[in-house]
Amino acid sequence: MAVHDPSHRHPGLRFSPAREATTESAISESATTESAIGEVAAGRTAVSAYVLAGLRLLTGFVFLWAFLDKTFGLGYATPSGKGWIDGGSPTRGFLGGVAVGPMESVFHSWAGDAWADWLFMLGLLGIGVALTLGVALRLAAVAGTVMMALMWMAEWPPARHLSDGSPSMSTNPFADYHLVYAVVLIALAAAGAGAVWGLGHAWARLPFVARHPWLR
């Protein structure tokens, strides 16, 4: 009768209990680390969304306040009794006072025209409402960028002197608050910042908007 030595058997690769426990511990630690990283990333995303929402609301208030002040003459940039409803022109003072730049004469010819007043005021109102509600941010970004570009050209920061030779008092030859506002508008639209503290989700689900993404 042949006797087989059990010590020569090779049942296959097996981990010792200690090694199995170490492997399970490593897997558990890795899963815990990944979960913690995910929670941190989610927290940062949430914070970013709220920061962008706050920036959107503040920027919207800037445009809305400009519209209200110029319409009703609230005594800030527009003196009382000089508002649009009182017969004043929202563009006459600004465009008529342009004193530098390649479009100086063009802006002078536009100053006080009814079409310029209406476009300017509707732009302020539309951009302000869109930002406040968190809807049509792409349209607001386009309209706001065009408006800021025109206002930048009206002030013409590159000039050191005005047309009459006096100092322009420009503090930077390129970057000013008009460009900052334009970049903010573009960033808000690109980030889809209308969902938090706004109606962005509801607006995007509207059939007409869903068919035309440029309206978001």
Side-chain angles (χ1 to χ4, degrees), residues 20-67:
E20 290 180 356
T22 302
T23 303
E24 291 177 358
S25 176
I27 293 174
S28 177
E29 290 179 1
S30 176
T32 301
T33 301
E34 291 179 358
S35 176
I37 293 174
E39 290 178 0
V40 171
R44 289 178 177 174
T45 300
V47 171
S48 298
Y50 285 114
V51 170
L52 287 174
L55 178 61
R56 190 196 82 234
L57 291 173
L58 285 174
T59 307
F61 182 70
V62 169
F63 283 88
L64 275 182
W65 180 259
F67 170 80

Side-chain angles (χ1 to χ4, degrees), residues 47-143:
V47 171
S48 298
Y50 285 114
V51 170
L52 287 174
L55 178 61
R56 190 196 82 234
L57 291 173
L58 285 174
T59 307
F61 182 70
V62 169
F63 283 88
L64 275 182
W65 180 259
F67 170 80
L68 294 173
D69 184 56
K70 293 179 184 301
T71 299
F72 300 105
L74 300 180
Y76 287 83
T78 306
S80 178
K82 299 292 184 180
W84 196 22
I85 63 171
D86 300 311
S89 170
T91 63
R92 182 178 294 116
F94 178 70
L95 295 181
V98 173
V100 68
M103 293 186 63
E104 180 180 352
S105 60
V106 175
F107 287 133
H108 287 173
S109 68
W110 292 354
D113 284 355
W115 67 267
D117 289 342
W118 276 95
L119 279 181
F120 181 56
M121 296 299 283
L122 289 177
L124 290 176
L125 177 62
I127 295 168
V129 170
L131 291 175
T132 302
L133 298 181
V135 302
L137 295 184
R138 297 180 182 180
L139 281 176
V142 172

Side-chain angles (χ1 to χ4, degrees), residues 152 157-158 170 172-176 179:
W152 184 89
S170 175
N172 190 293
F174 176 71
D176 75 342
L179 294 184

